[in-house]
Amino acid sequence: MKHLLSSQELDRAQIEVLLQRAKVFLPTVREHKRLNVAEGKILATLFYEPSTRTRFSFETAMIRLGGNVISNADMSATSSAKKGETLFDTAKMVSTFADVIAMRHPEKGSVAEFATGSAVPVVNGGDGAGDHPTQGLLDLFTIQEELGRLENFTIAMVGDLKNSRVVHSQCEYLMHFKGIRFLLVSPEGLKLPADLVQRLRAQGFEARETEDLESVMGEVDVLSDTRIQQERFESEAEYKKYFGVYVLTPALMAKAKKVMIVIDPLPRVNHIDPVVDKDSRAKYFVQVEYGVAMRMAILAELLGL
Amino acid sequence: MKIIFKRATVVSSRNQKVRDVFVENGKIVAAFDEKLADRVIDGTGKFLIPGVIDGHVHFREPGLSEKGDWDHESRAAAMGGVTTVFDMPNTVPATVNAKALEEKRAVVKGKSFVNYGFFAGASEDTSLLADMKGVVGVKIYMATSTGDLLVEQPSVWEEVFKLAKKKDWMVVVHAEKEARIRQGQRDCACAREATEAALQLQKKIGNRLHIAHVSCKSELDLIREYRSKNVTCEVAPHHLVFTMEDAEDAEDGFLKMYPPLRTFIDVEALWRGLLDNTVSCIATDHAPHTRDEKMVSFEKAPAGVPGVEFSLPIMLNAIHEERLSLERVVYLMSEHPAEIFGLKTKGRVDEGFDADLVLVDLDKEHTIEAKDVQSKCGWTPYEYFKLKGWPVLTMVNGEVVMEKGKIVGKPQGKELFA
């Protein structure tokens, strides 16, 4: 693996290696320990878009591997950005400091552009509505750990399927596995892009679109929830139209199977009733732990460790 | 017998969960009342895994019982958490026809502490295979090893592949190129060229092919290209823990085996292959020889090392070295071997599956000594290895056969496929 820029570039074998290595790192994360495999290596985190979870997750992963971190939480306010330095030049500069770079940017394709200038591996921490390859992988890892299998299950993807890079990334990875049914739950205006639906179907997956979450709740093994993201809408009026369409409540959870899981990249806005947190099927907080282990695996792979 | 494993951490290839497991009449069954149990085994803090399936052993009977026999070798298996073994045909007489197979069956019956199956051996007269029944598959020695089962002509390989396809047998190949060996070159090219020939032939015929004891990076790269559900391969633990340097300047033959030990680059590639699905399973190629036979010079010593007793501890120890996870060990040593050898009721700790189970203590540390060895040969290449993670109880067909380092009860093993 040279870089990790998109969810499409990994094959089944590479995904399997990452899942296996994440498992190996999981006890280190759970026990709050530190390894020494990345001793002397430096991760630079460059975030041009605000994020607490993803940035902390990458940085924790690097530190638990035994490496160090140089960081900028708000790249867009830095002198480089203000002075109009190109991404290519910024990459040239940062890659002389760091051994691996994690980057988030609001524009689709920007991380790949950055990577062309970088002398060291770059990992995409989210590029606008484009892709979020590490989130999709940690979701896969969560499903493996919590559901116990990566084949033969029904996943309901709920929310803004049009703009959610997380959902797109999940679809890309799940296509490598067998026997998965996709239930695509969204308002009419926020449906999963048609080409992605077609690709799922062309590969023999059942992909059913619906607006009604309640009616499918009883079939679901994995509920992949996403908030409706305000930053992806052009106007506040447009955002308000969809805000609060799907709220996960105890009443809805009562209709679900006894053995199923709920995953969500968080943060919570108002789309999950806090009472649901106490439900043992809700996995969105433990997911954070899986995220660190998966990012340790990704960084270790990129660093050739 | 009704047995309950209480609060054990049950492991599959994908995850682990603390739960109770109920065993009755040799099977894993639905929960029953604890009061009805003959025995309740506390699994707190321990891991319950499906028994190890070792697809490649040489238990030496009939004919070579000075090297090993089914009583000793199957005890070694049970001690190491192995609950099923498949025996290779290079015994005396070689298992190359129905008569020899029946003879082996009679010798082994009632002796084995673990479940077992037999491989037929290919000889130049492929018609002998036709009336052999109840075998796992057929082994082709593309190069010389212990015994005289060498089959060098590609035309014979093709006949065997075709016959195996018809019978739905797995073809296992010992892939080294005899012509190159005769030139004194038992190197990676020697292994790779034979592997390539077998892979190309499989592509043409479409049978199930299993490459035994893959030892080189170049072989793995090739297998990765040809991979399909009908192409599988195994790696032996000795190729994962020793390099050729360990055998350099050896004055005896204790680290001699075919294929031989390789470089650290190959070793690292094998570990990598265990993670990315290129390697299908671990199999030991357990091949005991007497101490006296191995005490001579490296050149004169016969090839082969015992391994069935320590393969699981070696892999469990690798978990602590961050090489792989317990789930992956279960995948490579039980769940996936069950799948590729077609054992539909083995390899998982689930209701309806056979109660071939192993309780593992991942924190137990022990240094291997020759006096531990159950194999008749009485030695092991892993002497003085300090390993963390050991099987502490082995159950075969619902009966405990090993507990706390001691063999208990009677031989429980049944022949599979027969």
Side-chain angles (χ1 to χ4, degrees):
Chain A
M1 230 161 61
K2 189 166 181 290
H3 302 293
L4 179 57
L5 300 174
S6 96
S7 307
Q8 284 187 39
E9 69 198 23
L10 297 182
D11 62 23
R12 170 75 188 258
Q14 289 170 309
I15 294 170
E16 204 64 65
V17 169
L18 290 171
L19 288 168
Q20 294 308 326
R21 296 198 75 178
K23 243 183 203 306
V24 170
F25 292 131
L26 194 55
T28 307
V29 177
R30 289 200 166 138
E31 292 158 25
H32 282 215
K33 285 188 179 155
R34 186 171 189 180
L35 304 172
N36 58 5
V37 293
E39 212 174 329
K41 302 283 184 191
I42 293 173
L43 163 74
T45 51
L46 271 59
F47 277 62
Y48 289 84
E49 200 180 47
S51 155
T52 314
R53 207 169 324 273
T54 304
R55 190 168 60 86
F56 275 12
S57 178
F58 270 115
E59 295 179 353
T60 306
M62 190 60 179
I63 292 166
R64 295 221 178 282
L65 281 172
N68 289 294
V69 174
I70 51 176
S71 181
N72 198 309
D74 188 6
M75 276 303 286
S76 49
T78 59
S79 65
S80 295
K82 292 232 165 92
K83 288 171 193 157
E85 186 178 55
T86 63
L87 285 174
F88 184 89
D89 287 359
T90 307
K92 281 236 167 256
M93 183 265 296
V94 176
S95 63
T96 59
F97 298 131
D99 300 285
V100 58
I101 298 166
M103 174 174 167
R104 170 172 286 189
H105 197 282
E107 277 166 53
K108 192 173 169 174
S110 53
V111 182
E113 183 191 333
F114 177 91
T116 59
S118 173
V120 300
V122 175
V123 45
N124 183 354
D127 59 335
D131 203 344
H132 195 356
T134 64
Q135 177 72 39
L137 284 167
L138 82 87
D139 292 336
L140 209 58
F141 186 44
T142 306
I143 296 170
Q144 166 179 282
E145 294 300 306
E146 294 293 343
L147 193 67
R149 60 184 191 273
L150 281 173
E151 292 182 338
N152 305 323
F153 64 85
T154 298
I155 183 167
M157 296 167 162
V158 184
D160 179 0
L161 306 188
K162 182 179 166 205
N163 295 303
S164 170
R165 57 193 179 195
V166 173
V167 165
H168 302 171
S169 175
Q170 287 170 351
C171 288
E172 296 295 345
Y173 292 124
L174 289 172
M175 273 191 255
H176 293 280
F177 296 85
K178 279 180 236 152
I180 299 170
R181 285 173 71 224
F182 293 82
L183 301 176
L184 308 168
V185 186
S186 71
E188 184 61 30
L190 299 177
K191 279 161 68 168
L192 194 70
D195 60 318
L196 195 47
V197 178
Q198 268 169 15
R199 277 178 52 220
L200 287 173
R201 287 183 182 150
Q203 293 195 37
F205 292 101
E206 183 186 333
R208 205 166 93 214
E209 298 183 289
T210 175
E211 287 190 47
D212 184 4
L213 176 58
E214 197 178 333
S215 71
V216 299
M217 209 58 196
E219 302 172 44
V220 176
D221 299 303
V222 178
L223 187 104
S224 168
D225 208 12
T226 49
R227 76 191 156 98
I228 310 266
Q229 288 174 283
Q230 183 167 10
E231 60 269 36
R232 305 281 170 247
F233 290 89
E234 303 213 330
S235 70
E236 182 148 358
E238 183 79 354
Y239 169 61
K240 282 269 159 66
K241 210 167 101 190
Y242 297 113
F243 182 78
V245 176
Y246 300 113
V247 179
L248 197 60
T249 59
L252 261 178
M253 288 302 287
K255 292 189 172 4
K257 291 183 184 178
K258 281 212 174 72
V259 180
M260 58 87 72
I261 60 170
V262 178
I263 59 174
D264 190 299
L266 302 177
R268 175 183 358 229
V269 264
N270 69 336
H271 65 300
I272 304 172
D273 185 328
V275 178
V276 176
D277 298 357
K278 295 195 189 78
D279 193 312
S280 64
R281 295 169 291 182
K283 302 297 181 190
Y284 35 85
F285 286 114
V286 289
Q287 212 178 333
V288 177
E289 218 166 50
Y290 296 127
V292 177
M294 177 48 81
R295 290 188 172 105
M296 286 173 80
I298 293 163
L299 291 172
E301 279 296 298
L302 288 170
L303 288 165
L305 301 172
Chain B
M1 279 283 267
K2 286 185 155 193
I3 297 177
I4 306 175
F5 289 89
K6 286 284 276 187
R7 290 178 300 272
T9 305
V10 177
V11 189
S12 76
S13 67
R14 288 288 179 196
N15 74 347
Q16 11 183 295
K17 250 195 179 101
V18 177
R19 61 179 167 91
D20 301 340
V21 172
F22 299 80
V23 172
E24 185 180 3
N25 292 331
K27 292 273 181 191
I28 298 163
V29 296
F32 52 73
D33 189 341
E34 200 173 321
K35 282 186 235 122
L36 299 173
D38 296 296
R39 187 174 171 199
V40 177
I41 297 167
D42 182 19
T44 311
K46 301 205 171 59
F47 297 86
L48 190 66
I49 65 171
V52 172
I53 297 165
D54 188 340
H56 190 153
V57 303
H58 302 268
F59 277 5
R60 301 300 194 201
E61 278 187 297
L64 299 168
S65 54
E66 74 285 359
K67 295 175 191 284
D69 62 37
W70 275 82
D71 176 45
H72 284 89
E73 311 317 307
S74 74
R75 284 171 186 266
M79 198 67 92
V82 176
T83 55
T84 296
V85 295
F86 294 137
D87 188 56
M88 288 299 168
N90 54 341
T91 42
V92 180
T95 322
V96 293
N97 55 47
K99 186 170 163 280
L101 177 63
E102 289 316 315
E103 192 184 329
K104 186 181 261 191
R105 275 204 172 110
V107 169
V108 176
K109 197 172 167 73
K111 273 195 195 167
S112 181
F113 282 86
V114 300
N115 296 315
Y116 57 93
F118 300 120
F119 273 97
S123 62
E124 281 171 22
D125 183 358
T126 56
S127 70
L128 296 175
L129 293 170
D131 56 350
M132 291 178 83
K133 291 196 177 69
V135 295
V136 192
V138 56
K139 171 91 178 268
I140 304 179
Y141 287 87
M142 299 167 84
T144 44
S145 185
T146 301
D148 52 357
L149 283 171
L150 173 66
V151 176
E152 215 187 327
Q153 306 90 319
S155 60
V156 181
W157 302 341
E158 183 158 347
E159 279 175 43
V160 177
F161 276 42
K162 280 181 177 158
L163 185 82
K165 191 185 177 190
K166 215 159 70 191
K167 289 185 165 241
D168 193 28
W169 283 356
M170 171 186 268
V171 176
V172 176
V173 290
H174 177 126
E176 287 185 287
K177 193 173 178 179
E178 188 62 18
R180 213 172 153 82
I181 293 169
R182 278 198 293 269
Q183 293 164 2
Q185 294 283 351
R186 210 155 196 153
D187 54 5
C188 279
C190 171
R192 193 189 54 77
E193 283 173 35
T195 300
E196 184 155 31
L199 288 166
Q200 280 175 351
L201 191 55
Q202 187 281 335
K203 207 172 175 184
K204 183 173 154 194
I205 311 292
N207 59 307
R208 287 196 285 146
L209 174 69
H210 183 76
I211 318 279
H213 39 56
V214 170
S215 60
C216 293
K217 180 178 185 295
S218 55
E219 274 180 287
L220 275 186
D221 291 342
L222 198 63
I223 291 165
R224 215 168 262 130
E225 269 176 56
Y226 282 84
R227 221 172 57 179
S228 77
K229 71 174 183 16
N230 285 332
V231 175
T232 54
C233 71
E234 72 193 27
V235 164
H238 49 259
H239 287 127
L240 290 168
V241 300
F242 296 114
T243 67
M244 59 202 303
E245 280 160 20
D246 293 307
E248 220 173 49
D249 307 320
E251 285 169 10
D252 54 42
F254 287 105
L255 278 181
K256 181 174 175 178
M257 78 288 292
Y258 294 146
L261 297 173
R262 308 296 191 188
T263 68
F264 81 94
I265 293 171
D266 296 300
V267 171
E268 286 305 311
L270 295 181
W271 280 106
R272 185 73 185 178
L274 298 184
L275 297 186
D276 72 5
N277 286 350
T278 310
V279 177
S280 321
C281 60
I282 301 287
T284 59
D285 190 6
H286 174 84
H289 295 283
T290 65
R291 258 179 202 280
D292 286 349
E293 288 171 303
K294 288 295 225 181
M295 289 281 262
V296 299
S297 70
F298 193 85
E299 287 68 35
K300 287 196 181 127
V305 294
V308 74
E309 197 168 342
F310 301 113
S311 59
L312 180 60
I314 284 168
M315 298 311 289
L316 294 175
N317 186 65
I319 295 168
H320 298 290
E321 294 174 338
E322 269 114 32
R323 284 281 193 183
L324 76 184
S325 63
L326 181 55
E327 288 91 332
R328 196 62 177 176
V329 172
V330 166
Y331 176 83
L332 290 163
M333 301 191 81
S334 189
E335 195 172 310
H336 202 225
E339 202 176 300
I340 63 186
F341 291 109
L343 304 173
K344 293 201 170 62
T345 57
K346 297 196 187 292
R348 287 171 199 262
V349 186
D350 281 331
E351 236 175 83
F353 278 71
D354 298 340
D356 291 351
L357 298 167
V358 176
L359 201 60
V360 161
D361 181 349
L362 259 193
D363 297 319
K364 183 184 168 183
E365 280 184 276
H366 176 69
T367 304
I368 298 172
E369 292 178 52
K371 68 175 169 57
D372 302 335
V373 173
Q374 297 284 323
S375 279
K376 196 172 183 181
C377 66
W379 63 276
T380 169
Y382 309 112
E383 195 175 5
Y384 306 126
F385 272 48
K386 188 182 179 188
L387 301 177
K388 188 172 176 184
W390 287 83
V392 291
L393 182 145
T394 304
M395 173 181 273
V396 174
N397 300 329
E399 304 283 341
V400 175
V401 295
M402 184 281 280
E403 194 164 3
K404 293 182 190 144
K406 296 238 169 355
I407 296 293
V408 293
K410 294 193 185 76
Q412 296 294 337
K414 290 182 198 155
E415 188 182 345
L416 308 173
F417 297 93

